[in-house]
Amino acid sequence: MNEPVVVRNVEQPPFEVVAALEKCGVTTVHEAQGRCGLLACYMRPVFSGSTIAGSAVTVSLPPGDNLMIHVAVEVCHAGNILVVAPTSPCAHGYFGELLATSLRAHGVKGLVIDAGCRDTRALTEMRFPVWSRAISSQGTVKGTLGSVNVPVVCAGALVEAGDVIVADDDGVVVVRRAVAREVAATAEQRVRKENATRERLARGELGLDIYSLRKKITELGLKYI
Amino acid sequence: MNEPVVVRNVEQPPFEVVAALEKCGVTTVHEAQGRCGLLACYMRPVFSGSTIAGSAVTVSLPPGDNLMIHVAVEVCHAGNILVVAPTSPCAHGYFGELLATSLRAHGVKGLVIDAGCRDTRALTEMRFPVWSRAISSQGTVKGTLGSVNVPVVCAGALVEAGDVIVADDDGVVVVRRAVAREVAATAEQRVRKENATRERLARGELGLDIYSLRKKITELGLKYI
Amino acid sequence: MNEPVVVRNVEQPPFEVVAALEKCGVTTVHEAQGRCGLLACYMRPVFSGSTIAGSAVTVSLPPGDNLMIHVAVEVCHAGNILVVAPTSPCAHGYFGELLATSLRAHGVKGLVIDAGCRDTRALTEMRFPVWSRAISSQGTVKGTLGSVNVPVVCAGALVEAGDVIVADDDGVVVVRRAVAREVAATAEQRVRKENATRERLARGELGLDIYSLRKKITELGLKYI
Amino acid sequence: MNEPVVVRNVEQPPFEVVAALEKCGVTTVHEAQGRCGLLACYMRPVFSGSTIAGSAVTVSLPPGDNLMIHVAVEVCHAGNILVVAPTSPCAHGYFGELLATSLRAHGVKGLVIDAGCRDTRALTEMRFPVWSRAISSQGTVKGTLGSVNVPVVCAGALVEAGDVIVADDDGVVVVRRAVAREVAATAEQRVRKENATRERLARGELGLDIYSLRKKITELGLKYI
Amino acid sequence: MNEPVVVRNVEQPPFEVVAALEKCGVTTVHEAQGRCGLLACYMRPVFSGSTIAGSAVTVSLPPGDNLMIHVAVEVCHAGNILVVAPTSPCAHGYFGELLATSLRAHGVKGLVIDAGCRDTRALTEMRFPVWSRAISSQGTVKGTLGSVNVPVVCAGALVEAGDVIVADDDGVVVVRRAVAREVAATAEQRVRKENATRERLARGELGLDIYSLRKKITELGLKYI
Amino acid sequence: MNEPVVVRNVEQPPFEVVAALEKCGVTTVHEAQGRCGLLACYMRPVFSGSTIAGSAVTVSLPPGDNLMIHVAVEVCHAGNILVVAPTSPCAHGYFGELLATSLRAHGVKGLVIDAGCRDTRALTEMRFPVWSRAISSQGTVKGTLGSVNVPVVCAGALVEAGDVIVADDDGVVVVRRAVAREVAATAEQRVRKENATRERLARGELGLDIYSLRKKITELGLKYI
């Protein structure tokens, strides 16, 4: 049970859907899919200012051992995002500049890892985006197998290979491949609506009026004194 | 008991007192008022480099519900700082770009929230300063009442409407309105004294001599070997 | 027992060894000395982008009292790094702009403190690098003795006076003086090897091939499906 | 500003009101007063199985200094609960067996301290109930003043002298003296209602029916499959 | 997407398999299935000394709202364990004595909840076992839907309805229904082997000899001095 | 550098000194040696009510690998306490019932481990005392060397082989072998003094009078109102 496997062929989400989700960003996508799929908020970007979306290549690996990241590189495609989850909590620096160089050479857009990363200055300079739970120079060995492209729980969220990952300064969200198109459409609609609302708010209109909340607060019994 | 209320008229601290406190910054103000009023140090700025001071508009609201922030906007004045405290611990993203747009349109200088915020990239780009305990895309609903301008406990400190909030990269401190003028005077004095000390230290003089500590360490029995 | 002392004369590590370690950075040095000496990863830089190395001046002091930092300044030499450890956990802001000015005037390169610091904006502007466990305006008094240049446990690592401290965006590592030359040589070798590997990875070669891992994963029983 | 004071005369809540609140326990009292006044849930009992209620004697004191607890003993009355809050976060062991012996000799029922305590085995054997945020042998000094019976923020809740504290295995709640009688009445009513509900649930009736939730879940759109 | 549903019919694991897993306990079961399925170690029992195993009824619900626990009771069967996971982090006390009474009346053996619980003294007295991440009197409302018997991520582990939950003082582990029989057999074998080992160790034999580790440590280069 | 070694012969502290320290307990010993040597307060006993003291056998080992604990058993003597510190943070369950059986067969009194332990129910039933930072079923492998009886940093404190460890419900403290006799004498004196003070406090005398604090608080300017 739980034999180590690498699943080679993963159905990819449509390119234009991924592009649309990337444009909307984490918070809007999270709302658009009914407030689910958010990774724990301890996942923080190594440097700020990046927004990426891509199809997940998942890696399940043991604590303190990054052999399977090397295995995963070979099955990555351009546009993928690597999602790495240790089988038990571990803040070691699994990932650094050399692996980032390798992933970039294969077109991978970024890394989401529920563990530590290192070489943060180099990662920042080369603008390879990483979301991690810790920064740690404490390295790993290359001695034990895990699996690639099996379902993983990463920072509290279930991620399957081919799901869409969206990550930015607000955090990381996963969108099931099956609903990605629908979520992207809802998210884009939401962006349009928010643009209109923003203009009204910038003019000084109140949310109380825009969202028709005055009747509600009166019914609930709010008193002004 | 604890009926939801909005207090409309709050006595404001004098403008020049707020300006003086803003100029001195959190650490100096905190020292000047006898080391009290500091919010818990888990309160961090979304982006660094801002120093603001202003009169507090306080919001007490339930976990996961930001209806009362919308209510509060209407009673804010130019120069205010919004201070938001959930009635039980909650890291949800109560606040984002749209509410920031609305607050800015009403002249509010910034937000201090003992909960989560989101849209951090947009907040950074529009330079709307926020101090929060977490960053999270996890949104809130608009279904339950709370109160505006009642006393709240925010990140461990008691804040009353009309108190002066000072916030910068070091954290957040609250100054009671009744003592704000006196604290500002002490803080300004402290700044002048520190300027003099800084020059002496920069020339290589030792704190041991400047603060007359040599006699003390001898009496306490320090040995050099 | 535990009488407060200041040890004046500390054997210093060779200048060229410190320079070599600084050039290699924390992660490489940590690997080169066999993965030991890393301080806990809660130690974070106040601003990013600095890499420093230097001989440690250690300070053991009580919670909430920074008198001994003032004492330590006098025995610091150009090129030193101050390493401060309270005798019990304390997140107070022991250190700010004035002490940084004083340390800089005596040639000290930076501070590593297993406690809080403050005046972070000023520290950033003057580019005085500090690694701390917290940022807090909560100040300290000057009333109790401790010791300078005795062995301390800082963020979980034993540091002795004259050990080499290396600190950058990845964290902080301590290298025993006795092995510093040997560690520097190993680290430099490692950098050369990594440069070669980086080029190969950038061309798209796989870690699986560069590190000869294919045989191993086959023996361990990895299945591709 | 913030001069150290001891307020001697504090209006006490009626004895029978305190007794009623003690009988109801923390969770019921917290609900009965509209879900407010709960201290942070990091406040845990040193030993389990105690429920106490009493009028608060508050102590505001500096980090690492328990002089003011000794001062407070003198103004305590039989039936009081001591509520201790440091002016900045501190997990030192402010309190142990000797102070417990002293408080008991003056009729004090227990201690609520937003810091550390020690001598936990002795406290358990003498059954002196303590709720604290930490257990630590790290002691304190007796060198600095604070205040007794001024308003304090303890574990995130505002407590004023003469407020009623209720503490049990679920945590600690504060009830304002002014509303204590009303809250006690509501709490007792709630207990009676819960007793009736418990009997129905024990017979196998469903909460869905007892609380008339079926209509609601249908309207909200719940599907059974 | 993510419509609230209640799945009524869940295939149950065989009774004798559940009984065997319960007898082996969490640590042995976790080892027997290849070290996977462990919930995060912040999940602690309200009282110690219980070991339970049962088929999971899963509940996915919003933060601060326990309506769906009431819905779930109706679809529970004797021998089930309720597994509750909020859709975002929340330490509220979702569960107390009344719900425990209701679950017991329907034969449910215990609760595993990635949130808070309350009424801990009553739960201890009635010996209804609960594993939770927090204890908090902070209650919940009954206003929003979630789902029952859908896959949930609870304390970092994926749990599906009908999986076997084993919980004791060491923590909580989930065993997929499909492999439960196989895991139980391996676990029982492991218990027999451990019994034999225990006797040898109790007689003073060394693990170095029992597990044949002497050759390995020599090859790895361990020196005795 | 850092070659794995086992140091066989360790000078032991005198038996009667260890016995005296055990009788005094952690808090008194910590005070008696000038408030140093305390391990971090996250170190908690698996079950309460034990007080042990003994000479330390130290183990430095890698994360997730307990091979060296098996190695250490062979060099333990009756009356020792095993002190285990991973070289990087790790909460795995390194230790359980089988190793406890082995240690007990060799006369070891207990374990202090800056990592996780498991089989807590069995440990409680056999009354083998363990202080750990976590409880976790997550096991370890037996594949990598470390060292025995070298200096380690355990939970923030430096421990050398042959130092005296004292552990009880208040935590864990280490006493250097060289000063153990002196510390024991001071601790016993302290106990006698506390016994006298306890009697006076139990009769209702105030700490203010016993410790002669009245003059001090008057000088410091305390006001009674």
Side-chain angles (χ1 to χ4, degrees):
Chain A
M1 49 206 112
N2 286 313
E3 279 184 308
V5 296
V6 178
V7 178
R8 277 189 185 282
N9 292 314
V10 171
E11 200 176 332
Q12 299 292 302
F15 175 79
E16 70 279 11
V17 166
V18 174
L21 291 167
E22 187 174 277
K23 217 168 156 190
C24 293
V26 172
T27 291
T28 298
V29 168
H30 176 247
E31 291 288 337
Q33 72 177 339
R35 301 190 168 177
C36 64
L38 197 63
L39 275 66
C41 66
Y42 60 65
M43 296 295 286
R44 300 302 305 145
V46 164
F47 55 89
S48 57
S50 292
T51 303
I52 61 170
S55 169
V57 170
T58 62
V59 182
S60 170
L61 41 59
D65 194 313
N66 76 352
L67 172 56
M68 293 310 292
I69 302 185
H70 290 279
V71 171
V73 176
E74 198 178 23
V75 300
C76 283
H77 297 290
N80 282 163
I81 292 176
L82 206 63
V83 177
V84 178
T87 54
S88 86
C90 182
H92 286 211
Y94 280 78
F95 186 91
E97 183 204 2
L98 291 183
L99 272 168
T101 303
S102 182
L103 285 179
R104 175 153 285 171
H106 288 80
V108 175
K109 294 171 87 170
L111 170 76
V112 172
I113 181 165
D114 192 2
C117 81
R118 55 187 197 172
D119 296 337
T120 52
R121 189 168 182 180
L123 294 174
T124 304
E125 281 166 5
M126 66 192 282
R127 306 300 291 176
F128 186 87
V130 174
W131 285 255
S132 72
R133 77 179 305 165
I135 291 169
S136 171
S137 283
Q138 180 70 49
T140 51
V141 296
K142 292 182 187 63
T144 322
L145 293 182
S147 292
V148 176
N149 281 333
V150 298
V152 298
V153 173
C154 183
L158 178 66
V159 181
E160 298 188 72
D163 285 347
V164 184
I165 297 295
V166 190
D168 63 18
D169 289 358
D170 278 359
V172 185
V173 70
V174 56
V175 181
R176 300 272 156 268
R177 194 187 56 226
V179 299
R181 189 178 296 278
E182 189 185 354
V183 172
T186 313
E188 287 178 319
Q189 212 169 13
R190 201 178 162 89
V191 168
R192 282 190 293 274
K193 198 173 147 196
E194 283 184 355
N195 288 342
T197 306
R198 187 183 303 106
E199 281 176 38
R200 294 177 65 184
L201 290 168
R203 285 196 301 264
E205 280 190 67
L206 291 166
L208 286 182
D209 298 312
I210 294 174
Y211 305 121
S212 307
L213 295 167
R214 288 204 190 274
K215 201 184 147 208
K216 186 175 204 172
I217 60 175
T218 307
E219 282 171 8
L220 287 170
L222 187 63
K223 282 181 195 156
Y224 285 80
I225 57 181
Chain B
M1 46 207 116
N2 285 314
E3 278 184 309
V5 296
V6 178
V7 179
R8 278 189 184 281
N9 293 314
V10 171
E11 200 178 331
Q12 299 292 302
F15 174 78
E16 71 280 9
V17 167
V18 173
L21 291 167
E22 188 174 277
K23 218 168 157 191
C24 293
V26 173
T27 292
T28 298
V29 168
H30 176 246
E31 291 289 338
Q33 72 176 337
R35 300 190 169 178
C36 65
L38 196 64
L39 275 65
C41 65
Y42 59 65
M43 297 295 286
R44 300 302 304 145
V46 164
F47 56 90
S48 58
S50 292
T51 303
I52 61 170
S55 168
V57 170
T58 63
V59 182
S60 169
L61 40 57
D65 193 313
N66 76 353
L67 171 56
M68 292 310 291
I69 302 185
H70 290 280
V71 171
V73 177
E74 197 178 21
V75 299
C76 285
H77 297 289
N80 283 164
I81 293 177
L82 206 62
V83 176
V84 177
T87 53
S88 87
C90 182
H92 285 212
Y94 280 78
F95 186 91
E97 183 203 3
L98 291 182
L99 272 168
T101 305
S102 183
L103 284 179
R104 175 154 283 170
H106 288 80
V108 175
K109 293 172 88 169
L111 170 75
V112 172
I113 182 165
D114 192 2
C117 82
R118 56 188 197 173
D119 297 338
T120 53
R121 189 168 183 180
L123 293 173
T124 303
E125 283 166 4
M126 65 191 284
R127 307 299 291 175
F128 186 86
V130 173
W131 286 256
S132 72
R133 77 179 304 165
I135 292 169
S136 171
S137 283
Q138 182 71 49
T140 52
V141 295
K142 291 181 188 66
T144 322
L145 294 182
S147 291
V148 175
N149 282 333
V150 297
V152 298
V153 174
C154 183
L158 177 65
V159 181
E160 297 187 72
D163 285 346
V164 184
I165 297 295
V166 189
D168 63 19
D169 288 358
D170 278 359
V172 185
V173 69
V174 55
V175 181
R176 298 272 157 268
R177 196 188 53 227
V179 298
R181 188 178 296 278
E182 190 185 353
V183 171
T186 312
E188 287 179 320
Q189 212 169 9
R190 202 178 160 90
V191 168
R192 282 190 295 272
K193 199 174 146 196
E194 283 184 354
N195 286 343
T197 305
R198 188 184 300 106
E199 281 176 37
R200 295 177 65 183
L201 291 168
R203 285 197 301 263
E205 278 191 67
L206 291 166
L208 286 182
D209 297 311
I210 295 175
Y211 305 122
S212 307
L213 296 167
R214 288 204 191 273
K215 201 183 146 209
K216 185 173 203 173
I217 60 176
T218 308
E219 283 171 5
L220 286 170
L222 186 62
K223 282 182 195 154
Y224 285 80
I225 57 180
Chain C
M1 49 208 113
N2 285 313
E3 278 184 309
V5 296
V6 178
V7 179
R8 278 189 184 280
N9 293 316
V10 171
E11 202 177 330
Q12 299 292 303
F15 175 78
E16 70 278 11
V17 167
V18 173
L21 291 167
E22 187 173 278
K23 217 166 157 190
C24 293
V26 172
T27 291
T28 298
V29 169
H30 176 246
E31 291 289 338
Q33 72 175 339
R35 300 190 171 176
C36 64
L38 196 64
L39 274 67
C41 66
Y42 60 65
M43 296 295 287
R44 301 302 304 144
V46 164
F47 55 90
S48 57
S50 291
T51 303
I52 60 169
S55 168
V57 170
T58 62
V59 182
S60 170
L61 42 57
D65 194 314
N66 76 351
L67 171 57
M68 292 311 292
I69 302 185
H70 290 280
V71 171
V73 176
E74 198 178 21
V75 300
C76 283
H77 297 290
N80 283 164
I81 292 177
L82 206 63
V83 176
V84 178
T87 53
S88 88
C90 182
H92 286 212
Y94 280 79
F95 186 92
E97 184 204 2
L98 290 183
L99 272 168
T101 303
S102 182
L103 285 179
R104 174 153 285 172
H106 288 80
V108 176
K109 293 171 88 171
L111 170 76
V112 172
I113 182 164
D114 191 2
C117 82
R118 55 188 196 171
D119 296 338
T120 53
R121 190 169 182 180
L123 294 173
T124 303
E125 282 166 4
M126 65 191 282
R127 305 301 290 175
F128 186 87
V130 174
W131 286 256
S132 72
R133 78 179 304 165
I135 291 168
S136 171
S137 283
Q138 181 72 46
T140 51
V141 295
K142 292 181 188 64
T144 322
L145 294 183
S147 292
V148 175
N149 282 332
V150 297
V152 298
V153 173
C154 183
L158 178 64
V159 181
E160 298 188 73
D163 285 346
V164 184
I165 297 295
V166 190
D168 64 17
D169 288 358
D170 278 359
V172 185
V173 71
V174 55
V175 181
R176 299 273 157 266
R177 196 189 53 227
V179 298
R181 189 178 296 278
E182 190 185 353
V183 172
T186 313
E188 287 178 322
Q189 213 168 10
R190 200 178 163 90
V191 166
R192 282 189 294 273
K193 199 173 145 197
E194 282 185 354
N195 286 342
T197 306
R198 187 184 300 106
E199 281 176 37
R200 295 177 64 184
L201 290 167
R203 285 197 301 264
E205 280 190 68
L206 290 167
L208 285 182
D209 298 312
I210 295 175
Y211 306 121
S212 307
L213 297 167
R214 287 204 191 274
K215 200 182 148 214
K216 185 173 204 174
I217 60 176
T218 308
E219 282 172 6
L220 286 170
L222 186 63
K223 282 183 195 153
Y224 285 81
I225 57 182
Chain D
M1 47 210 113
N2 285 313
E3 278 184 308
V5 295
V6 179
V7 179
R8 279 189 183 281
N9 293 312
V10 171
E11 200 176 334
Q12 299 292 303
F15 174 79
E16 70 279 9
V17 166
V18 173
L21 290 167
E22 187 174 278
K23 218 167 156 191
C24 294
V26 173
T27 292
T28 299
V29 168
H30 176 246
E31 291 289 338
Q33 71 175 339
R35 301 191 169 176
C36 64
L38 197 62
L39 275 66
C41 65
Y42 60 65
M43 296 295 287
R44 300 301 305 144
V46 164
F47 55 90
S48 59
S50 292
T51 303
I52 61 170
S55 168
V57 170
T58 62
V59 182
S60 170
L61 40 59
D65 194 313
N66 76 352
L67 171 57
M68 292 311 290
I69 303 186
H70 290 280
V71 171
V73 177
E74 198 177 23
V75 301
C76 284
H77 297 289
N80 284 162
I81 292 178
L82 206 63
V83 176
V84 177
T87 53
S88 88
C90 183
H92 285 213
Y94 280 77
F95 186 92
E97 184 204 3
L98 292 183
L99 272 168
T101 304
S102 182
L103 285 179
R104 175 154 285 170
H106 289 80
V108 175
K109 293 172 88 170
L111 171 75
V112 172
I113 181 165
D114 191 2
C117 81
R118 54 188 197 171
D119 297 337
T120 52
R121 191 170 181 179
L123 294 173
T124 304
E125 282 166 5
M126 65 191 282
R127 306 301 289 176
F128 186 87
V130 174
W131 285 255
S132 73
R133 76 179 304 165
I135 291 170
S136 171
S137 283
Q138 181 71 48
T140 51
V141 295
K142 293 181 187 65
T144 322
L145 294 182
S147 292
V148 176
N149 282 332
V150 298
V152 298
V153 173
C154 183
L158 177 65
V159 181
E160 298 188 72
D163 284 346
V164 184
I165 297 294
V166 190
D168 64 18
D169 288 358
D170 278 0
V172 185
V173 70
V174 55
V175 181
R176 299 271 157 268
R177 196 188 54 227
V179 298
R181 188 178 296 280
E182 190 185 353
V183 172
T186 313
E188 287 179 320
Q189 212 168 11
R190 203 178 160 90
V191 168
R192 282 190 294 273
K193 199 174 147 196
E194 282 184 354
N195 287 343
T197 306
R198 188 183 303 106
E199 282 176 36
R200 295 177 65 183
L201 290 168
R203 284 197 302 263
E205 280 190 67
L206 291 166
L208 286 182
D209 297 312
I210 295 174
Y211 306 120
S212 307
L213 296 167
R214 288 205 191 274
K215 202 184 148 208
K216 185 174 204 173
I217 60 176
T218 308
E219 283 171 6
L220 287 171
L222 186 63
K223 281 181 197 158
Y224 284 80
I225 59 182
Chain E
M1 49 209 112
N2 285 313
E3 277 185 311
V5 296
V6 179
V7 179
R8 278 189 184 280
N9 293 315
V10 171
E11 201 178 331
Q12 299 292 301
F15 174 78
E16 69 280 10
V17 166
V18 173
L21 291 167
E22 187 175 278
K23 218 167 156 191
C24 293
V26 172
T27 291
T28 298
V29 168
H30 176 246
E31 291 288 338
Q33 72 176 340
R35 300 189 169 178
C36 66
L38 197 65
L39 275 65
C41 66
Y42 59 66
M43 296 295 286
R44 300 302 304 144
V46 165
F47 56 90
S48 58
S50 291
T51 303
I52 62 170
S55 168
V57 171
T58 62
V59 182
S60 169
L61 41 57
D65 194 314
N66 76 351
L67 171 57
M68 291 310 291
I69 302 184
H70 290 279
V71 171
V73 176
E74 198 177 22
V75 299
C76 284
H77 297 289
N80 283 164
I81 292 177
L82 206 62
V83 176
V84 177
T87 53
S88 87
C90 182
H92 285 212
Y94 280 77
F95 186 90
E97 183 203 3
L98 291 183
L99 271 168
T101 303
S102 182
L103 285 179
R104 175 154 284 171
H106 288 80
V108 175
K109 292 171 88 170
L111 170 75
V112 172
I113 182 164
D114 192 1
C117 82
R118 55 188 196 170
D119 296 338
T120 53
R121 190 170 182 179
L123 293 173
T124 303
E125 282 166 5
M126 66 190 283
R127 307 298 293 175
F128 186 87
V130 173
W131 285 256
S132 73
R133 77 178 306 164
I135 291 169
S136 170
S137 283
Q138 181 71 47
T140 51
V141 297
K142 294 180 187 64
T144 323
L145 293 183
S147 292
V148 176
N149 283 331
V150 297
V152 298
V153 173
C154 182
L158 178 64
V159 181
E160 297 188 74
D163 286 346
V164 185
I165 297 295
V166 190
D168 63 18
D169 288 358
D170 277 0
V172 184
V173 70
V174 56
V175 182
R176 299 272 157 267
R177 196 188 54 229
V179 299
R181 188 178 296 279
E182 190 185 352
V183 171
T186 312
E188 287 178 321
Q189 215 168 9
R190 201 178 162 88
V191 167
R192 282 190 293 273
K193 199 173 145 195
E194 283 185 354
N195 286 342
T197 306
R198 188 184 301 106
E199 281 176 37
R200 295 178 66 184
L201 290 168
R203 284 197 300 264
E205 280 191 67
L206 290 166
L208 285 182
D209 298 311
I210 295 175
Y211 305 121
S212 308
L213 296 167
R214 287 202 192 274
K215 200 183 148 210
K216 185 173 204 173
I217 60 175
T218 307
E219 284 171 5
L220 287 170
L222 187 63
K223 280 180 196 157
Y224 285 81
I225 57 180
Chain F
M1 51 208 110
N2 283 315
E3 278 184 309
V5 296
V6 178
V7 179
R8 276 189 185 280
N9 292 314
V10 171
E11 201 177 331
Q12 299 293 301
F15 175 77
E16 71 279 9
V17 166
V18 173
L21 291 167
E22 187 174 278
K23 216 165 156 192
C24 293
V26 172
T27 291
T28 299
V29 168
H30 176 246
E31 292 287 338
Q33 74 175 338
R35 300 191 168 177
C36 64
L38 197 65
L39 276 66
C41 66
Y42 61 64
M43 297 295 286
R44 298 302 304 144
V46 164
F47 56 90
S48 58
S50 292
T51 303
I52 61 170
S55 168
V57 170
T58 62
V59 182
S60 169
L61 42 57
D65 194 313
N66 75 353
L67 172 56
M68 292 311 291
I69 302 185
H70 290 279
V71 171
V73 177
E74 199 178 20
V75 300
C76 284
H77 298 289
N80 283 162
I81 292 176
L82 207 62
V83 176
V84 178
T87 54
S88 88
C90 182
H92 285 212
Y94 280 78
F95 186 91
E97 183 204 1
L98 291 183
L99 271 169
T101 303
S102 182
L103 285 179
R104 175 154 284 171
H106 288 79
V108 175
K109 293 171 87 170
L111 170 75
V112 171
I113 181 165
D114 191 3
C117 82
R118 55 188 197 171
D119 296 339
T120 52
R121 190 170 181 178
L123 294 173
T124 303
E125 282 166 7
M126 66 190 285
R127 305 300 290 177
F128 185 87
V130 173
W131 284 256
S132 72
R133 77 179 304 165
I135 291 168
S136 171
S137 284
Q138 180 71 47
T140 52
V141 296
K142 294 181 186 63
T144 322
L145 293 182
S147 292
V148 175
N149 282 333
V150 297
V152 298
V153 173
C154 182
L158 176 66
V159 182
E160 297 187 73
D163 285 346
V164 185
I165 297 295
V166 190
D168 64 18
D169 289 358
D170 277 359
V172 185
V173 71
V174 56
V175 181
R176 300 271 156 267
R177 196 189 51 227
V179 299
R181 188 178 296 277
E182 189 184 353
V183 172
T186 312
E188 287 179 321
Q189 213 168 11
R190 200 178 163 89
V191 167
R192 282 191 293 274
K193 198 173 147 196
E194 282 185 354
N195 286 343
T197 306
R198 188 184 301 105
E199 281 176 38
R200 294 177 66 183
L201 291 167
R203 284 198 299 264
E205 280 190 66
L206 290 166
L208 285 182
D209 298 312
I210 294 174
Y211 306 121
S212 308
L213 296 166
R214 287 204 192 274
K215 200 184 147 209
K216 186 174 203 173
I217 59 176
T218 308
E219 283 171 6
L220 288 170
L222 186 63
K223 281 183 196 155
Y224 286 80
I225 56 180

